[in-house]
Amino acid sequence: MKVHLKQIPPEGLHLEGEEECLVPELESEGIRCVGPMGYKIDVGVAEGSLWANGSLKQPVGLTCVGCLQKFVHDIKVPAFAIHTELQGPETVDLSPFMREDILLNLPAHPRCDREGGRVCKAAKADQVDATKQQRAAKREHDWGELDKLRIEKR
Ligand SMILES: [Zn+2]
């Protein structure tokens, strides 16, 4: 995403829009863009450098580490901010900066229930297991009581 310096007025410029997926190579890791990246940023030029700040959002398809189901997650960069020295006279490419911030905000252990919108099947299974274990433990405890009785009778 290139910014033309000549188009930036002294008071700065607000930019909003969508940009092609900047992280297509993640597909080999099971992370796939399911839409364009949305951005809302302000840019400006001051004393030979370019600054920009705003927010980014990239919807991606991820695989849940719990139930192995695919789900859609928005990678959000709520505080995108850069300050870079001007290199060329015409344009500055913001894509490498945006790319880096998106990669930094990738969830390390994605779970489909992390945003509370749905219940992970794996979490449900965990709960069922826990109940079974509790019942099993209780049963053992009951036998323990019985054994105690037997011992007392002897
Ligand atoms: Zn899940």
Side-chain angles (χ1 to χ4, degrees), residues 94-106:
L94 294 180
S95 297
F97 299 102
M98 293 174 157
R99 219 182 95 79
E100 199 174 312
D101 272 30
I102 286 171
L103 291 175
L104 281 173
N105 283 277
L106 268 181

Side-chain angles (χ1 to χ4, degrees), residues 17 19 25 33 48 58-59 97 103-104 112-113 121-122 135 139:
E19 190 75 15
E25 81 282 3
C33 291
Q58 172 64 65
F97 299 102
L103 291 175
L104 281 173
C112 64
D113 55 359
K121 277 182 189 161
R135 279 198 204 124
R139 233 176 281 138

Side-chain angles (χ1 to χ4, degrees), residues 64-69 71 110-113 118-123:
C64 174
V65 293
C67 62
L68 303 179
Q69 298 232 339
F71 68 103
R111 281 192 69 114
C112 64
D113 55 359
R118 70 190 239 182
V119 177
C120 182
K121 277 182 189 161

Side-chain angles (χ1 to χ4, degrees), residues 54-56 76-80 105:
S55 61
L56 314 174
K76 287 177 189 148
V77 182
F80 174 70
N105 283 277

